[in-house]
Amino acid sequence: MAPNASSSPDDAVPVTAIAMKLLDIRLKQSGAIIESAIGEFSASGRQELALLRGGGTLELFRIDEGQTKLVSRLETRSVLRCLATVRLTGDKRDVLAVGADGGAISVFDFEGGKAKVLHCMTFGKTGCRRGTPGQYLASDPKGRAIMISAVEKRKLVYVLNRDATGKPTIASPLEAHRTRTLTFATVGLDNGYDNPIFATLELQYPDTEDSVRESVDDVEKQLAYYELDLGLNHVSRRWARSVHRSAFCMAAVPGGADGPGGVLVGGEDWIEYLHESIAANNSDTADAQKKSNRIICTFPRRNLHPKEKGILITKITIHRQKKSKFFALAQNELGDVYKVDVRLDSSDKTKVIGLTVALLDVLPLANSLNVSKLGLLFVAAEFGDHHLYQFHRIDLPDAPTCTSEQSKEAYLQSNATSELAFYNTANASNIACTFSPTLLKNLRKIYTMDSAAPTTGIMVGELAGNEVSPQIYTLHGKGPLSSVRIMRHGAAVTELAVSDLPGVPGGIFTIADNSGEASDNGVKSDRFIVVSFADATLVLSVGETVEEVGKESGFEITSPTLACNALGNDGGMVQVHPSGVRHITQGKAKQWNCAGLKRIEYASANETQVLIALAGGQVIYFELNADSGNLTEVCTRDMGADVCCLDVGTLPPGKNRSLFAAVGCRDQTVRIVSLDPNGKLNQRSSTALDSRPHSVALQIMTVEQNDGNDGRNDTILTIGLDDGSSLRADVDPVTGSIGTSPTRRFLGARPVSVSRVRLESSSSTLLLSSRPWISRLDSTSGKHIMAPLSYVPLDHGCSFNSDVVQDGIVATAGKTLRILSIDTAGMDGGEDEAFNINKVGLRYTPRQMTLLATGTSAADRKVVLVVVESDYNEYGYEEKQQMGFDFTGEGKEDKKAGGDGMDMDEDSDEEQDIKMADDEEEKEEDEDKETRETAIRGPYPKVAGCWGSCVRLLDPSNNCKSLECIELNRNEAALCCSSVRFHSRGGEPLLAVGTVTGMTMHPLQQTESHVALYRVLNGERLQLVHKTKVDDGPVLSLAHFQGRLLVGIGKTLRLYEMGKRQLLRKCELRGFPTMIKNLQTAGDRAFCGDMLQSVQIVRYDATANRLVLVANDPTPRPITAQELLDWNTIAVGDKFGNVSILRLPRGAESASAVDLTGQRALWESSRDDHTPKLEVLCNYHVGEVVTNMTRASLVAGGAESLIYVTVTGRIGALVPFTSRDDVEFYTELESHIRADAPRPTGRDPQAYRSYYAPVKHVVDGDLCGAFNLLSFTQQNKIADKVDRSIGEIMKKLEDTRNALL
């Protein structure tokens, strides 16, 4: 106990905090691709991409019709590191070998599109260790062996074979270790059917115990061949040769009967071909004449790139063509892609005589380059979206080109005695030709795969001003690929047409064209659109144009329409209005009228049946007589309660009658009645509701069977309630009984209107409340998918088909008629939610964003979004312009340039022809420009410390339109921003921006640091108020604090007040461990996130005007993100992928714990254990670096959750449990699934979530969601253990996600 500490019960010792239980739910899949490979995995002849995603997901995509389609997705719950394609001997398909952190090598087979683990061979410890194999993977081209390597020392070779039954087998590993050796790359050589050979780039560092120590620069990097002797079952180091010290990547050249063999090695400024045959041939030359023993070539460089700066080749891939032809693609660190031709001797095809390197195009920097047999190039980008390109041409006669002969001649003419010493950056700059980067010339972009990596910021709020649900604003990208993304939960809607109506409609219907001509054509289209008003009906004819028709349609247009539909297959129609039922056939109308003064209140119809409800609860059923073609009354039934909605259902496939109808009554029940002609509308089942039903829909949805049989037809009952909720339940197709576990979801504040629609030729449901929703059944997985539509609220809607629009929707909103098309991307049955995204491009990498409210009164109040952007090793915008950098990449000269500026008389006809030709050319260019667009990085600065930066003002109410962009001074970078209101200045909202000038990363230092204040004028532009120079380090964090500005400057926390010319320093607290990276405030507390030493809680003592340390975290966490949950609780994310919830213990801030007088300052400085320590409530390993998090609700009025984003683009939510029953259910379910869950890479799910610290009080929602993917036997086994039915478990899982969104 500290001196003078009170021991009374009132001044209690810190008590253990109350536990918090969280559920991790993934909202959006990680977009980053670690590595990719192309092959024929599911079936022979199909070109497919295997992707390793961040977060441990293995995906298979099929390249089909110029785009990629998801075939299979496997959650491994491990860190995936490398992959290789293997085609086993005698097989026509490829299998996939994967290296991960599970200490095992896994081989996957995707036959039929389903991932199956063939082998999972354990060889070492788990984790990403430098001595544990798993970082590099290479396969023999003939499928006989695999080499898996570690970063240091260890290499293992596995022999693949087949047993007597033809089943693939894998042998025990063979060691190829080499002490003190670092491996940089491995590849399997094409050696025909000789013994398999693996090539490695490696470096053996000297033994520190040697008496004579070598210099680091003197250590050679070597290319080594390791041979697997299949006869002796032994691996030996066959051959090695020194390579350039910057050698980084390589690719195997086709060998055996297809080529010369060997490898292409890429390094800084050079590409070299190496093989053991070259060394053997050249070693025999004992001539004293100077000769070149290497086949090496430089590559074209950008004309604005500094000559003293090297350019590294980061990726090489080789594509085999027919007839033993091949070429290589190489990409450098700037994104330039080169075509590399290996020139062979015409008399000896196994002898290489030179290399030719020509510029292909400029593409995003890639982690993998994959060329398909269809002439497509897939670029798995390091940052931003991934793209699929079509080769426009492969012969490049006019492209900038370099040859190995040029390099060889330069070496022979030089005074250099060593070839490796000669091939440096300076000589490469003199030899290489130059070029200016342009738009794509030889490739065309045909498809884009969305990726949000890296995501560095998130903000949730309804900032658009006219929407119901909040939007998600995120910061993405790097450099020219940067953007702000506005994400809305739901499917995207395309507005095809909008037309005004004479009044507010009460319903809308479409009537299909059921004539004989339409049946013969096989094209589904609608004949009429019927709009019902309070006292009239508007009939619109659908053709090339939509036109109004009157009484000639046969409709009763002076009364509202309750229901209408095409009847039969002879062009007949039925209209139900309050006075009766009207049957229209061949232009003639027959009408059934209500008896007496009764009126029809509700009605429903399909192709052969009509069901109406009269006032008082009487229901009458009509059916189309197949013989006479007349609509006849079948039976009548009194429901015993007033009817408020009904639906006659859809016709089952191959039948002409719906077996059941749904009737909703005012006594808060929905009943299923039989439509059997002899059943007299007998009630089959009913369900009691908490609210009165507003609408019902009974429809049949089809689920495909995996065994190839016909699909299963499920009958689904959807109920819209008056309280804004929807209810979905299964109905037994034989007995008509309603399922006991209906799924309920709150949709909005208005009663829910339900109608049947079709999307992509499958049955779906449109639900309209204060926000439109769409519900559909995924035909493959059998899972119900429900997502809102990103569109204005709709009043009524139904399905619409025409020659132009297929599977569309016609709807009304107010006094307008709208024709819509729904984009179903994201509604593919996966676990991810559907989001539609709008992008706003940025100039530099976004660092931080903040909201700023402008205006003093409610009338002129406006909210703007401020984003600070900065890039290291980048020139500013104006400097690039002065250098002549082409931002667009079009590379065109002004057609009028070079003229004398005088007007000249020309022939008018000739002038007109030239103008028309120019217009046609511009039109073609605009159409082609989109496929040719590519991001181009700016010139690389000559010296360190160069920055490009700006402050951007966006209007979120106008799709984040850029209002103003202020470029900062030369080499000045904005790293953080915050809105602040100084009480001493009347509380005017100001923008504070923290900047550094001339900052370098190694070492970390800067010439100046500033805090700039800006004022927003008229909500449209920024005005600089003043700029304050600060010392003690870079400004990395800012926060508003009690009417002042709190600034984190290096290791110092400082409080500022606003002055007339600069900020005025009030107090400060020094001595933080490293740097204050994050800063949040609440009341008189500041929560400071240190770059290496977790969170420090500081309290401001206003009486003494000083900052006092209240508590800190004893665990060193390199903080990357933090979010304040309440007064005592904070969530933090670190750079190792962990999320932790920390809480200040009770009594930690009492008078006995914190000295406010300063009398014990000497004692506190000498005893670190006196400071109270934060407690860990929750701990969870996400698996990806969490870059930002926020506490928000994704539904208006819903409960808050902790929303986080990661560097790989994943969006997740940590949802707090609100009941003990939920905690017990999910904890038990997770434990049972964890015991039976497959381990594809050998990694235990619980061990993965406890990577750096044991998982605590967080349930893995992804693991629980895997219950839907288990077999029925496994599901039944787990359901028995948790004492629930399978349906109840699935409903609980779905309800939890629905509550979040």
Side-chain angles (χ1 to χ4, degrees):
M1 182 177 293
N4 301 326
S6 173
S7 60
S8 65
D10 296 335
D11 300 327
V13 178
V15 180
T16 302
I18 300 173
M20 177 185 292
K21 306 285 187 178
L22 301 172
L23 174 66
D24 178 42
I25 297 179
R26 184 184 64 200
L27 301 178
K28 188 172 180 60
Q29 172 77 25
S30 168
I33 297 177
I34 301 169
E35 194 172 351
S36 64
I38 196 166
E40 301 173 3
F41 297 102
S42 63
S44 177
R46 292 180 177 175
Q47 290 288 291
E48 292 164 326
L49 291 166
L51 310 180
L52 298 187
R53 295 275 193 183
T57 304
L58 174 62
E59 292 180 340
L60 185 68
F61 282 85
R62 180 176 301 144
I63 302 177
D64 187 15
E65 297 179 356
Q67 57 182 344
T68 60
K69 298 181 180 179
L70 180 65
V71 176
S72 177
R73 176 181 291 171
L74 179 64
E75 299 288 344
T76 64
R77 294 172 189 86
S78 60
V79 179
L80 301 178
R81 305 167 70 186
C82 56
L83 83 166
T85 302
V86 182
R87 177 162 294 190
L88 300 174
T89 305
D91 207 342
K92 295 183 179 180
R93 294 184 304 104
D94 298 313
V95 296
L96 194 68
V98 175
D101 67 334
I105 182 172
S106 302
V107 181
F108 296 93
D109 186 8
F110 289 93
E111 185 176 8
K114 300 294 182 181
K116 176 185 176 183
V117 181
L118 293 180
H119 306 288
C120 185
M121 296 289 292
T122 304
F123 52 72
K125 297 180 180 179
T126 60
C128 300
R129 309 168 190 267
R130 68 177 188 175
T132 301
Q135 184 64 31
Y136 306 105
L137 195 60
S139 64
D140 174 51
K142 301 302 181 183
R144 298 169 295 174
I146 302 174
M147 172 183 276
I148 186 168
S149 309
V151 174
E152 184 177 4
K153 181 182 177 180
R154 299 184 66 192
K155 301 180 186 68
L156 298 176
V157 177
Y158 289 87
V159 178
L160 302 176
N161 215 324
R162 294 182 182 272
D163 58 15
T165 62
K167 182 180 179 180
T169 60
I170 186 169
S172 299
L174 304 175
E175 296 182 352
H177 305 335
R178 190 164 184 253
T179 59
R180 308 192 319 276
T181 300
L182 301 178
T183 303
F184 296 88
T186 62
V187 70
L189 252 64
D190 189 351
N191 200 32
Y193 287 98
D194 293 340
N195 285 333
I197 297 178
F198 296 95
T200 64
L201 279 177
E202 56 187 37
L203 182 150
Q204 188 174 36
Y205 56 85
D207 190 352
T208 56
E209 297 180 359
D210 292 346
S211 57
V212 179
R213 298 186 180 181
E214 299 180 65
S215 170
V216 177
D217 297 331
D218 295 335
V219 180
E220 287 187 343
K221 184 179 287 188
Q222 293 183 328
L223 170 68
Y225 282 4
Y226 288 85
E227 181 181 9
L228 168 62
D229 193 320
L230 294 175
L232 300 177
N233 203 28
H234 173 71
V235 181
S236 59
R237 196 168 189 260
R238 170 171 172 168
W239 171 79
R241 188 181 185 189
S242 60
V243 296
H244 199 276
R245 184 60 184 272
S246 64
F248 179 75
C249 60
M250 59 181 176
V253 176
D258 298 329
V263 293
L264 285 175
V265 180
E268 193 173 62
D269 301 307
W270 304 93
I271 298 176
E272 183 175 9
Y273 171 78
L274 288 171
H275 196 32
E276 56 183 348
S277 60
I278 298 178
N281 293 336
N282 292 330
S283 61
D284 297 334
T285 59
D287 198 345
Q289 185 179 359
K290 184 177 179 180
K291 290 186 177 181
S292 174
N293 296 329
R294 293 181 177 273
I295 301 177
I296 190 169
C297 182
T298 186
F299 46 83
R301 298 165 63 96
R302 299 191 182 186
N303 51 11
L304 295 180
H305 192 81
K307 291 188 175 183
E308 60 273 15
K309 291 285 186 180
I311 305 176
L312 181 67
I313 295 292
T314 58
K315 186 63 61 178
I316 299 180
T317 186
I318 290 183
H319 175 61
R320 299 190 183 207
Q321 298 173 295
K322 296 180 180 179
K323 298 180 180 180
S324 302
K325 294 183 179 180
F326 64 92
F327 65 88
L329 296 181
Q331 186 180 42
N332 63 25
E333 58 184 323
L334 302 180
D336 306 328
V337 178
Y338 306 97
K339 181 192 175 187
V340 183
D341 288 319
V342 180
R343 289 182 278 111
L344 308 179
D345 192 341
S346 58
S347 60
D348 185 3
K349 296 298 182 181
T350 62
K351 183 179 180 181
V352 177
I353 59 175
L355 298 177
T356 301
V357 181
L359 177 69
L360 181 68
D361 265 319
V362 179
L363 300 179
L365 190 61
N367 286 334
S368 292
L369 296 171
N370 307 115
V371 184
S372 76
K373 295 179 180 179
L374 305 175
L376 302 177
L377 171 64
F378 179 73
V379 177
E382 182 181 19
F383 300 113
D385 296 336
H386 316 292
H387 303 289
L388 190 65
Y389 297 90
Q390 174 79 53
F391 281 96
H392 189 63
R393 61 173 183 170
I394 197 61
D395 295 326
L396 312 174
D398 55 347
T401 305
C402 296
T403 63
S404 56
E405 285 76 12
Q406 296 172 350
S407 304
K408 181 178 181 179
E409 183 180 355
Y411 166 68
L412 296 177
Q413 294 178 357
S414 68
N415 297 325
T417 57
S418 170
E419 280 193 88
L420 288 180
F422 171 78
Y423 296 124
N424 52 34
T425 300
N427 292 327
S429 302
N430 295 328
I431 299 172
C433 58
T434 61
F435 68 94
S436 296
T438 63
L439 297 177
L440 300 180
K441 292 183 177 180
N442 306 302
L443 297 170
R444 294 296 182 269
K445 182 166 56 179
I446 60 174
Y447 179 74
T448 297
M449 182 184 296
D450 182 72
S451 172
T455 304
T456 56
I458 183 172
M459 181 181 295
V460 179
E462 207 299 281
L463 306 181
N466 55 358
E467 299 182 15
V468 177
S469 297
Q471 306 91 43
I472 301 177
Y473 297 82
T474 52
L475 301 179
H476 296 270
K478 176 185 177 184
L481 297 173
S482 302
S483 64
V484 174
R485 297 193 179 196
I486 306 100
M487 305 176 61
R488 294 174 173 86
H489 176 226
V493 176
T494 303
E495 189 179 82
L496 302 178
V498 178
S499 178
D500 293 332
L501 295 174
V504 178
I508 188 168
F509 313 92
T510 55
I511 297 179
D513 188 355
N514 57 350
S515 61
E517 296 179 359
S519 301
D520 296 338
N521 294 335
V523 179
K524 295 182 179 180
S525 60
D526 291 325
R527 183 179 175 188
F528 295 112
I529 298 175
V530 180
V531 185
S532 175
F533 296 93
D535 56 356
T537 295
L538 177 66
V539 183
L540 303 174
S541 174
V542 178
E544 294 182 358
T545 59
V546 177
E547 298 177 352
E548 180 181 353
V549 294
K551 293 183 179 181
E552 60 269 21
S553 64
F555 275 74
E556 176 63 45
I557 62 174
T558 59
S559 299
T561 298
L562 302 178
C564 62
N565 204 80
L567 208 60
N569 54 6
D570 58 351
M573 299 178 290
V574 63
Q575 178 196 15
V576 182
H577 53 86
S579 300
V581 180
R582 191 177 184 89
H583 184 197
I584 307 168
T585 307
Q586 297 177 355
K588 299 179 181 180
K590 302 177 183 178
Q591 183 159 313
W592 176 93
N593 296 314
C594 296
L597 299 177
K598 290 187 177 181
R599 289 291 181 266
I600 302 175
E601 292 187 343
Y602 301 95
S604 176
N606 59 23
E607 289 85 345
T608 61
Q609 298 162 296
V610 178
L611 192 66
I612 62 173
L614 305 181
Q618 186 180 11
V619 176
I620 304 177
Y621 171 49
F622 298 85
E623 189 170 303
L624 183 67
N625 190 307
D627 297 330
S628 65
N630 295 325
L631 192 65
T632 58
E633 181 180 344
V634 178
C635 58
T636 303
R637 175 186 171 88
D638 191 349
M639 301 303 298
D642 287 344
V643 176
C644 55
C645 56
L646 52 81
D647 185 67
V648 75
T650 55
L651 300 182
K655 298 183 179 181
N656 59 1
R657 178 187 294 122
S658 174
L659 300 180
F660 307 104
V663 181
C665 301
R666 295 186 184 273
D667 59 357
Q668 298 185 3
T669 61
V670 171
R671 310 174 190 186
I672 301 297
V673 297
S674 173
L675 295 182
D676 188 350
N678 300 323
K680 297 182 180 180
L681 295 177
N682 290 334
Q683 180 175 316
R684 292 297 184 92
S685 62
S686 67
T687 181
L689 308 173
D690 297 334
S691 178
R692 192 173 66 182
H694 181 76
S695 59
V696 291
L698 193 65
Q699 60 191 130
I700 296 175
M701 297 184 177
T702 304
V703 182
E704 296 178 358
Q705 300 292 329
N706 295 328
D707 54 7
N709 297 328
D710 294 337
R712 182 184 79 247
N713 294 325
D714 290 349
T715 304
I716 307 297
L717 172 65
T718 306
I719 307 171
L721 304 179
D722 278 350
D723 64 357
S725 301
S726 71
L727 211 64
R728 189 188 69 246
D730 294 333
V731 177
D732 190 288
V734 178
T735 63
S737 60
I738 301 175
T740 57
S741 301
T743 300
R744 186 186 184 107
R745 183 159 188 173
F746 179 76
L747 303 185
R750 286 163 42 179
V752 178
S753 175
V754 181
S755 59
R756 296 187 296 267
V757 296
R758 294 188 69 82
L759 292 180
E760 295 182 341
S761 301
S762 62
S763 298
S764 305
T765 308
L766 179 66
L767 303 101
L768 304 178
S769 181
S770 54
R771 187 178 185 185
W773 292 71
I774 197 75
S775 175
R776 63 181 299 194
L777 183 68
D778 182 60
S779 59
T780 304
S781 64
K783 175 185 173 184
H784 281 276
I785 308 165
M786 197 170 184
L789 302 182
S790 295
Y791 199 65
V792 298
L794 301 175
D795 301 326
H796 310 279
C798 65
S799 182
F800 176 73
N801 288 282
S802 68
D803 296 338
V804 180
V805 180
Q806 286 294 315
D807 294 337
I809 290 177
V810 59
T812 63
K815 293 184 178 182
T816 59
L817 177 71
R818 301 165 186 252
I819 298 178
L820 312 173
S821 175
I822 299 177
D823 183 7
T824 58
M827 300 179 64
D828 54 0
E831 293 297 323
D832 297 339
E833 294 293 335
F835 288 94
N836 69 88
I837 302 170
N838 293 329
K839 300 180 184 179
V840 178
L842 302 178
R843 186 177 295 174
Y844 307 107
T845 303
R847 301 293 175 176
Q848 199 171 357
M849 61 179 169
T850 187
L851 283 178
L852 195 62
T854 64
T856 56
S857 61
D860 58 352
R861 179 181 172 84
K862 183 178 181 181
V863 177
V864 294
L865 184 66
V866 180
V867 180
V868 292
E869 313 165 31
S870 58
D871 267 329
Y872 184 52
N873 278 334
E874 187 75 66
Y875 288 114
Y877 185 79
E878 295 180 356
E879 291 179 274
K880 292 179 184 177
Q881 285 183 320
Q882 295 173 1
M883 297 171 64
F885 176 70
D886 185 9
F887 293 93
T888 62
E890 295 182 1
K892 296 180 180 179
E893 296 181 0
D894 191 353
K895 295 181 179 179
K896 297 182 180 180
D900 56 5
M902 297 176 62
D903 293 334
M904 299 179 64
D905 295 332
E906 297 182 4
D907 184 71
S908 59
D909 294 337
E910 183 180 352
E911 183 179 347
Q912 185 70 16
D913 293 340
I914 295 175
K915 184 177 180 181
M916 292 177 61
D918 290 343
D919 292 342
E920 293 178 1
E921 183 181 353
E922 290 178 3
K923 185 178 180 180
E924 293 177 0
E925 288 178 354
D926 291 340
E927 295 175 354
D928 191 44
K929 186 176 180 180
E930 185 177 352
T931 63
R932 298 179 56 211
E933 287 182 345
T934 187
I936 301 176
R937 190 200 188 282
Y940 205 94
K942 297 181 180 180
V943 296
C946 290
W947 289 79
S949 182
C950 66
V951 179
R952 188 181 299 270
L953 197 64
L954 302 172
D955 183 6
S957 64
N958 189 17
N959 286 329
C960 280
K961 178 184 177 182
S962 184
L963 300 176
E964 187 177 22
C965 183
I966 297 180
E967 192 77 15
L968 298 188
N969 297 333
R970 185 173 184 179
N971 297 338
E972 185 178 16
L975 301 180
C976 57
C977 63
S978 175
S979 62
V980 60
R981 295 173 180 264
F982 290 96
H983 292 173
S984 61
R985 298 291 175 175
E988 178 188 4
L990 299 175
L991 173 66
V993 178
T995 68
V996 294
T997 303
M999 187 171 77
T1000 58
M1001 300 300 178
H1002 301 287
L1004 185 59
Q1005 61 185 17
Q1006 74 286 336
T1007 57
E1008 289 181 338
S1009 297
H1010 296 87
V1011 176
L1013 286 183
Y1014 291 90
R1015 177 182 291 113
V1016 180
L1017 300 179
N1018 302 323
E1020 295 181 352
R1021 63 187 187 90
L1022 294 171
Q1023 180 188 46
L1024 179 64
V1025 178
H1026 57 62
K1027 202 171 186 179
T1028 304
K1029 183 178 180 180
V1030 298
D1031 49 11
D1032 295 332
V1035 180
L1036 300 179
S1037 55
L1038 300 167
H1040 173 265
F1041 183 71
Q1042 295 187 351
R1044 295 176 177 177
L1045 182 63
L1046 196 61
V1047 185
I1049 311 170
K1051 299 182 180 181
T1052 303
L1053 182 65
R1054 190 172 295 165
L1055 186 63
Y1056 283 98
E1057 179 61 87
M1058 183 178 179
K1060 291 184 177 181
R1061 296 186 177 181
Q1062 66 175 14
L1063 294 174
L1064 307 177
R1065 186 187 310 184
K1066 289 300 179 183
C1067 65
E1068 65 180 23
L1069 179 63
R1070 295 176 176 268
F1072 281 81
T1074 54
M1075 287 190 179
I1076 303 174
K1077 177 66 173 62
N1078 297 277
L1079 195 58
Q1080 287 181 301
T1081 61
D1084 62 350
R1085 290 181 187 171
F1087 297 80
C1088 309
D1090 191 83
M1091 192 173 287
L1092 292 178
Q1093 295 295 326
S1094 193
V1095 174
Q1096 321 279 323
I1097 300 181
V1098 175
R1099 178 184 176 187
Y1100 175 63
D1101 179 17
T1103 58
N1105 189 29
R1106 71 183 189 122
L1107 298 168
V1108 182
L1109 183 65
V1110 174
N1112 58 18
D1113 185 10
T1115 304
R1117 308 177 197 272
I1119 299 297
T1120 57
Q1122 70 180 44
E1123 176 65 15
L1124 196 60
L1125 301 183
D1126 60 36
W1127 176 251
N1128 294 317
T1129 312
I1130 188 170
V1132 298
D1134 60 41
K1135 73 174 185 178
F1136 299 117
N1138 301 308
V1139 173
S1140 305
I1141 310 294
L1142 309 176
R1143 178 170 289 177
L1144 184 69
R1146 296 177 184 174
E1149 205 180 4
S1150 62
S1152 60
V1154 179
D1155 174 36
L1156 301 179
T1157 64
Q1159 297 176 0
R1160 302 205 325 264
L1162 179 61
W1163 176 268
E1164 289 179 358
S1165 62
S1166 61
R1167 288 192 57 183
D1168 180 66
D1169 60 343
H1170 171 77
T1171 306
K1173 306 302 178 185
L1174 298 175
E1175 297 176 351
V1176 180
L1177 296 186
C1178 305
N1179 199 79
Y1180 183 74
H1181 180 69
V1182 176
E1184 307 161 57
V1185 180
V1186 176
T1187 54
N1188 209 330
M1189 55 179 62
T1190 184
R1191 188 184 78 251
S1193 170
L1194 298 178
V1195 180
E1200 288 187 335
S1201 302
L1202 184 63
I1203 314 297
Y1204 65 86
V1205 293
T1206 68
V1207 71
T1208 60
R1210 166 176 170 153
I1211 301 179
L1214 292 172
V1215 183
F1217 288 112
T1218 56
S1219 68
R1220 186 176 296 275
D1221 291 340
D1222 290 346
V1223 174
E1224 294 175 352
F1225 167 77
Y1226 274 100
T1227 302
E1228 191 174 1
L1229 179 63
E1230 182 191 29
S1231 63
H1232 293 310
I1233 296 180
R1234 184 190 297 142
D1236 299 334
R1239 294 165 172 77
T1241 60
R1243 191 67 161 152
D1244 180 72
Q1246 187 173 15
Y1248 177 66
R1249 296 304 179 190
S1250 307
Y1251 217 108
Y1252 295 93
V1255 62
K1256 183 177 182 181
H1257 294 167
V1258 181
V1259 177
D1260 187 353
D1262 289 349
L1263 185 61
C1264 294
F1267 178 83
N1268 297 323
L1269 305 177
L1270 299 177
S1271 64
F1272 177 78
T1273 304
Q1274 292 175 308
Q1275 288 181 341
N1276 199 28
K1277 178 182 175 182
I1278 294 175
D1280 292 340
K1281 291 180 180 179
V1282 299
D1283 195 22
R1284 300 203 184 195
S1285 67
I1286 296 177
E1288 289 174 342
I1289 295 177
M1290 290 183 172
K1291 176 180 178 297
K1292 187 67 176 178
L1293 295 172
E1294 185 175 353
D1295 288 346
T1296 303
R1297 294 187 70 92
N1298 293 345
L1300 176 63
L1301 289 166

